[in-house]
Amino acid sequence: MTGESSHPAQKPMAAEGGKLILPAFAKINLSLEVLGKRPDGYHEIMSVMQTVELHDELSFRPAKEIILRCNLPSLNDEDNLVFKAARLLARCADIRNGVEIELVKRIPVAGGLGGGSSDAACTLIVLNRLWHLDYPLEKLQDLSAELGSDVAFFLQGGAALAEGRGERLSPLPAFPTTWVVLLTPHISLPDKTRFLYSCLTPANHTDGSTTLALSLALREGQPIPSTLFRNTFEPILRKKYRLIEDLHSKLRLPGVEVIGLSGSGPTLYALCASKSVANTIYERLLNLPETTVFLTRTISREEIRAKMGH
Ligand code: C5P
């Protein structure tokens, strides 16, 4: 299976037949360190997150109630974060009318790429405008914490240092535009994120210094050594799943500067030296069994703002 994420540039807040059509971008974690377990059951993390151009597509049309349609039938229910985001905002603002939302999924579900969280953030941004609420970013950030730990990141995207359980953000200067190949192995784990966090022991905890060094290098515009792209979950997943270890070795190709794991996996990313290197690797790997392959690139906060029209 393959997926190309390069689409023609989207018009900001494109309106078609009374519908607003918006992209919800995926992310990769350039680093992810788990510092320890918190009394509330979550884990304290430090992560540098970066949006990529691969995206889902959401369309919005005014309606009498909140209605969601998704091209994946398994996501077509009230547990979908898009539905929860719309209902949360409507309840908070005492909105009586609704909205019809159509969600086209391209980002793999539970792949470690933040697709569901990004869809939720996109919903908050658009409904804030459609319902003329004018809530400031901080208010949307507070609300987003109820939906999931990394929803807040997607309200702005770009590159950011995430702390706390992932919701405390410090924007970072743009990561240089980089072409990326994503490999998502078809491994399904029910309640994946919760399960993988529950596998961690204190021996897996680190002090966040690698992530801080990565964010400092980004702030200062310094070259980033590949040793700073560290993910607590990577050694665990490579040991647990033969397929991930195999994919990791397949990515060790000339012109691949960094191989990393995104979130709690199972998606691996390869940061490539150039577009042509990425294209060659994409074409070489696109027929891998049990794996979806994407060719994409990093996308900055400013580019996202231009595409979203804010
Ligand atoms: O916040 P989100 O809904 O994405 O988290 C799913 C689950 O992952 C949480 O219920 C928790 O068990 C685990 N988690 C964690 N520490 C984090 C983020 C998530 O333990 N920082």
PDB file of all heavy atoms in Angstrom, residues 41-43 45 147-149 164-166 193-194 197, ligand 1:
ATOM      1  N   GLY A  41      -1.607   9.402  36.611  1.00  0.00           N
ATOM      2  CA  GLY A  41      -1.609   8.234  35.715  1.00  0.00           C
ATOM      3  C   GLY A  41      -0.943   8.515  34.382  1.00  0.00           C
ATOM      4  O   GLY A  41      -0.540   7.584  33.671  1.00  0.00           O
ATOM      5  N   TYR A  42      -0.819   9.790  34.021  1.00  0.00           N
ATOM      6  CA  TYR A  42      -0.106  10.137  32.784  1.00  0.00           C
ATOM      7  C   TYR A  42       1.401  10.098  33.037  1.00  0.00           C
ATOM      8  O   TYR A  42       1.841   9.974  34.176  1.00  0.00           O
ATOM      9  CB  TYR A  42      -0.497  11.553  32.312  1.00  0.00           C
ATOM     10  CG  TYR A  42      -1.831  11.605  31.616  1.00  0.00           C
ATOM     11  CD1 TYR A  42      -3.002  11.789  32.332  1.00  0.00           C
ATOM     12  CD2 TYR A  42      -1.908  11.479  30.235  1.00  0.00           C
ATOM     13  CE1 TYR A  42      -4.239  11.840  31.695  1.00  0.00           C
ATOM     14  CE2 TYR A  42      -3.127  11.529  29.585  1.00  0.00           C
ATOM     15  CZ  TYR A  42      -4.288  11.711  30.320  1.00  0.00           C
ATOM     16  OH  TYR A  42      -5.486  11.753  29.673  1.00  0.00           O
ATOM     17  N   HIS A  43       2.163  10.264  31.976  1.00  0.00           N
ATOM     18  CA  HIS A  43       3.617  10.341  32.087  1.00  0.00           C
ATOM     19  C   HIS A  43       4.081  11.742  31.732  1.00  0.00           C
ATOM     20  O   HIS A  43       3.518  12.393  30.847  1.00  0.00           O
ATOM     21  CB  HIS A  43       4.286   9.317  31.167  1.00  0.00           C
ATOM     22  CG  HIS A  43       4.116   7.909  31.644  1.00  0.00           C
ATOM     23  ND1 HIS A  43       2.931   7.226  31.493  1.00  0.00           N
ATOM     24  CD2 HIS A  43       4.969   7.073  32.295  1.00  0.00           C
ATOM     25  CE1 HIS A  43       3.058   6.017  32.019  1.00  0.00           C
ATOM     26  NE2 HIS A  43       4.275   5.901  32.505  1.00  0.00           N
ATOM     27  N   ILE A  45       6.468  14.045  29.899  1.00  0.00           N
ATOM     28  CA  ILE A  45       7.311  13.842  28.707  1.00  0.00           C
ATOM     29  C   ILE A  45       8.032  15.127  28.294  1.00  0.00           C
ATOM     30  O   ILE A  45       7.661  16.227  28.734  1.00  0.00           O
ATOM     31  CB  ILE A  45       6.493  13.330  27.487  1.00  0.00           C
ATOM     32  CG1 ILE A  45       5.488  14.391  26.997  1.00  0.00           C
ATOM     33  CG2 ILE A  45       5.795  12.017  27.779  1.00  0.00           C
ATOM     34  CD1 ILE A  45       5.048  14.182  25.551  1.00  0.00           C
ATOM     35  N   LEU A 147      -9.424  16.741  25.259  1.00  0.00           N
ATOM     36  CA  LEU A 147      -9.590  15.804  24.134  1.00  0.00           C
ATOM     37  C   LEU A 147      -8.407  14.848  23.999  1.00  0.00           C
ATOM     38  O   LEU A 147      -8.569  13.712  23.564  1.00  0.00           O
ATOM     39  CB  LEU A 147      -9.782  16.591  22.831  1.00  0.00           C
ATOM     40  CG  LEU A 147     -11.018  17.489  22.794  1.00  0.00           C
ATOM     41  CD1 LEU A 147     -10.926  18.482  21.641  1.00  0.00           C
ATOM     42  CD2 LEU A 147     -12.291  16.649  22.666  1.00  0.00           C
ATOM     43  N   GLY A 148      -7.217  15.305  24.377  1.00  0.00           N
ATOM     44  CA  GLY A 148      -6.029  14.447  24.264  1.00  0.00           C
ATOM     45  C   GLY A 148      -4.782  15.274  24.481  1.00  0.00           C
ATOM     46  O   GLY A 148      -4.798  16.498  24.305  1.00  0.00           O
ATOM     47  N   SER A 149      -3.689  14.595  24.815  1.00  0.00           N
ATOM     48  CA  SER A 149      -2.471  15.308  25.229  1.00  0.00           C
ATOM     49  C   SER A 149      -1.833  16.106  24.102  1.00  0.00           C
ATOM     50  O   SER A 149      -1.213  17.135  24.353  1.00  0.00           O
ATOM     51  CB  SER A 149      -1.441  14.310  25.759  1.00  0.00           C
ATOM     52  OG  SER A 149      -2.008  13.540  26.780  1.00  0.00           O
ATOM     53  N   GLY A 164       5.136  18.533  30.037  1.00  0.00           N
ATOM     54  CA  GLY A 164       3.967  18.092  30.807  1.00  0.00           C
ATOM     55  C   GLY A 164       3.534  16.745  30.271  1.00  0.00           C
ATOM     56  O   GLY A 164       4.359  15.865  30.036  1.00  0.00           O
ATOM     57  N   ARG A 165       2.220  16.583  29.998  1.00  0.00           N
ATOM     58  CA  ARG A 165       1.837  15.331  29.339  1.00  0.00           C
ATOM     59  C   ARG A 165       1.823  15.479  27.820  1.00  0.00           C
ATOM     60  O   ARG A 165       1.363  14.598  27.095  1.00  0.00           O
ATOM     61  CB  ARG A 165       0.511  14.808  29.891  1.00  0.00           C
ATOM     62  CG  ARG A 165      -0.700  15.694  29.666  1.00  0.00           C
ATOM     63  CD  ARG A 165      -1.932  15.016  30.279  1.00  0.00           C
ATOM     64  NE  ARG A 165      -3.119  15.840  30.221  1.00  0.00           N
ATOM     65  CZ  ARG A 165      -4.075  15.715  29.306  1.00  0.00           C
ATOM     66  NH1 ARG A 165      -3.980  14.822  28.369  1.00  0.00           N
ATOM     67  NH2 ARG A 165      -5.126  16.500  29.348  1.00  0.00           N
ATOM     68  N   GLY A 166       2.315  16.644  27.370  1.00  0.00           N
ATOM     69  CA  GLY A 166       2.429  16.894  25.935  1.00  0.00           C
ATOM     70  C   GLY A 166       1.682  18.162  25.544  1.00  0.00           C
ATOM     71  O   GLY A 166       1.787  18.630  24.421  1.00  0.00           O
ATOM     72  N   THR A 193      -1.685   3.638  22.649  1.00  0.00           N
ATOM     73  CA  THR A 193      -0.855   4.591  23.396  1.00  0.00           C
ATOM     74  C   THR A 193      -0.839   4.240  24.884  1.00  0.00           C
ATOM     75  O   THR A 193       0.221   4.170  25.511  1.00  0.00           O
ATOM     76  CB  THR A 193      -1.376   6.029  23.181  1.00  0.00           C
ATOM     77  OG1 THR A 193      -1.506   6.232  21.772  1.00  0.00           O
ATOM     78  CG2 THR A 193      -0.433   7.056  23.741  1.00  0.00           C
ATOM     79  N   ARG A 194      -2.026   4.000  25.418  1.00  0.00           N
ATOM     80  CA  ARG A 194      -2.117   3.665  26.841  1.00  0.00           C
ATOM     81  C   ARG A 194      -1.288   2.393  27.132  1.00  0.00           C
ATOM     82  O   ARG A 194      -0.518   2.345  28.083  1.00  0.00           O
ATOM     83  CB  ARG A 194      -3.588   3.433  27.242  1.00  0.00           C
ATOM     84  CG  ARG A 194      -3.772   3.174  28.730  1.00  0.00           C
ATOM     85  CD  ARG A 194      -5.186   2.667  29.000  1.00  0.00           C
ATOM     86  NE  ARG A 194      -6.192   3.585  28.474  1.00  0.00           N
ATOM     87  CZ  ARG A 194      -6.716   4.588  29.149  1.00  0.00           C
ATOM     88  NH1 ARG A 194      -6.330   4.795  30.392  1.00  0.00           N
ATOM     89  NH2 ARG A 194      -7.624   5.362  28.603  1.00  0.00           N
ATOM     90  N   TYR A 197       2.557   3.071  26.955  1.00  0.00           N
ATOM     91  CA  TYR A 197       3.025   3.805  28.137  1.00  0.00           C
ATOM     92  C   TYR A 197       3.053   2.873  29.355  1.00  0.00           C
ATOM     93  O   TYR A 197       3.950   2.962  30.193  1.00  0.00           O
ATOM     94  CB  TYR A 197       2.135   5.022  28.424  1.00  0.00           C
ATOM     95  CG  TYR A 197       2.612   6.285  27.722  1.00  0.00           C
ATOM     96  CD1 TYR A 197       1.979   6.754  26.566  1.00  0.00           C
ATOM     97  CD2 TYR A 197       3.687   7.022  28.208  1.00  0.00           C
ATOM     98  CE1 TYR A 197       2.408   7.909  25.916  1.00  0.00           C
ATOM     99  CE2 TYR A 197       4.126   8.176  27.573  1.00  0.00           C
ATOM    100  CZ  TYR A 197       3.484   8.613  26.423  1.00  0.00           C
ATOM    101  OH  TYR A 197       3.930   9.755  25.803  1.00  0.00           O
TER     102      TYR A 197
HETATM  103  O1  C5P B   1      -3.818  11.967  26.028  1.00  0.00           O
HETATM  104  P1  C5P B   1      -4.151  10.767  25.193  1.00  0.00           P
HETATM  105  O2  C5P B   1      -5.604  10.467  25.175  1.00  0.00           O
HETATM  106  O3  C5P B   1      -3.532  10.784  23.853  1.00  0.00           O
HETATM  107  O4  C5P B   1      -3.445   9.536  25.951  1.00  0.00           O
HETATM  108  C1  C5P B   1      -3.845   8.212  25.814  1.00  0.00           C
HETATM  109  C2  C5P B   1      -3.247   7.420  26.971  1.00  0.00           C
HETATM  110  O5  C5P B   1      -1.816   7.371  26.855  1.00  0.00           O
HETATM  111  C3  C5P B   1      -3.494   8.025  28.337  1.00  0.00           C
HETATM  112  O6  C5P B   1      -4.718   7.610  28.878  1.00  0.00           O
HETATM  113  C4  C5P B   1      -2.311   7.516  29.140  1.00  0.00           C
HETATM  114  O7  C5P B   1      -2.552   6.184  29.587  1.00  0.00           O
HETATM  115  C5  C5P B   1      -1.195   7.475  28.121  1.00  0.00           C
HETATM  116  N1  C5P B   1      -0.374   8.683  28.176  1.00  0.00           N
HETATM  117  C6  C5P B   1       0.541   8.832  29.220  1.00  0.00           C
HETATM  118  N2  C5P B   1       1.298   9.966  29.282  1.00  0.00           N
HETATM  119  C7  C5P B   1       1.219  10.916  28.326  1.00  0.00           C
HETATM  120  C8  C5P B   1       0.317  10.780  27.246  1.00  0.00           C
HETATM  121  C9  C5P B   1      -0.467   9.644  27.203  1.00  0.00           C
HETATM  122  O8  C5P B   1       0.640   7.969  30.110  1.00  0.00           O
HETATM  123  N3  C5P B   1       2.018  11.977  28.401  1.00  0.00           N
END
